[in-house]
Amino acid sequence: QSALTQPAAVSGSPGQSITISCAGTSSDVGAYNYVSWYQQHPGKAPKLIIYDVNQRPSGVSDRFSDSKSGNTASLTISGLQPEDEGDYYCISYTSSSTWVFGGGTRLTVL
Amino acid sequence: QITLKESGPTLVKPTQTLTLTCTFSGFSLSTPGVGVGWIRQPPGKALEWLALIYWNDDKRYCPSLKSRLTITKDTSKNQVVLTVTNTDPVDTATYYCAYRRESLGSGYPDWGQGTLVTVSS
């Protein structure tokens, strides 16, 4: 299985909205609604922010949302805030009952 | 409250076997639907999913590393062990263990702090 494809970097100004894409195949992203997204700050463990199409863990802001179309999932962050800066990773369950991560996207808040 | 903590050597020589232990609390690995997985992250690089073991001892491995990985559990000790055989410098990474529960969706909501392992002679 190959890593999912994410843009290496995205940026936005405070208050703006940004979208990060996560492209896979019909064997992973396209196979199920089982994509989750993680935020990671430097030196910290990843934090689950959204899973399985707009399911947010308790305490995660509703500024985070996701969607999926075919073999591509997308994470949208609205009302960008300085603390949103960091790395974002998608991960998908696969038809082989394993998981595969994306290559990660560095978000810069200008 | 769910907590996980990884432990193991910080330095391993190439070709040696790396053994990592995840010690957890706040849940039982004998509860249906529960699993513990391992994920690693080389310095400055992306996360890579490695393996997962379920409450019923079902095991899943990253296809490209399957021949070198073994995941086991000791329910009585609340521990999950990952072994990586024939290590190489490219295995240098922070290794994380993470909890998942099928009823909570496909994500891994709780992670350990990670442990950095360097493979070098």
Side-chain angles (χ1 to χ4, degrees), chain B residues 1 3-4 14 17 27 30 32 47-48 63 83 88 93 96 98 104 110 117 121:
Chain B
Q1 179 189 3
T3 65
L4 305 99
T17 294
F27 66 93
S30 61
L47 298 166
E48 181 179 29
T83 61
D88 181 270
Y96 297 97
L104 299 180
D110 296 280
V117 178
S121 55

Side-chain angles (χ1 to χ4, degrees), chain B residues 7-21 38 40 50 68-71 81-88 90-95 115-119:
Chain B
S7 60
T10 57
L11 181 63
V12 174
K13 291 184 177 356
T15 76
Q16 288 185 336
T17 294
L18 168 64
T19 299
L20 295 166
T21 301
W38 285 93
R40 72 180 180 182
L50 298 177
R68 299 174 52 218
L69 300 177
T70 302
I71 189 169
V81 173
L82 180 74
T83 61
V84 184
T85 60
N86 193 26
T87 55
D88 181 270
V90 299
D91 295 314
T92 294
T94 295
Y95 286 76
T115 185
L116 177 60
V117 178
T118 301
V119 181

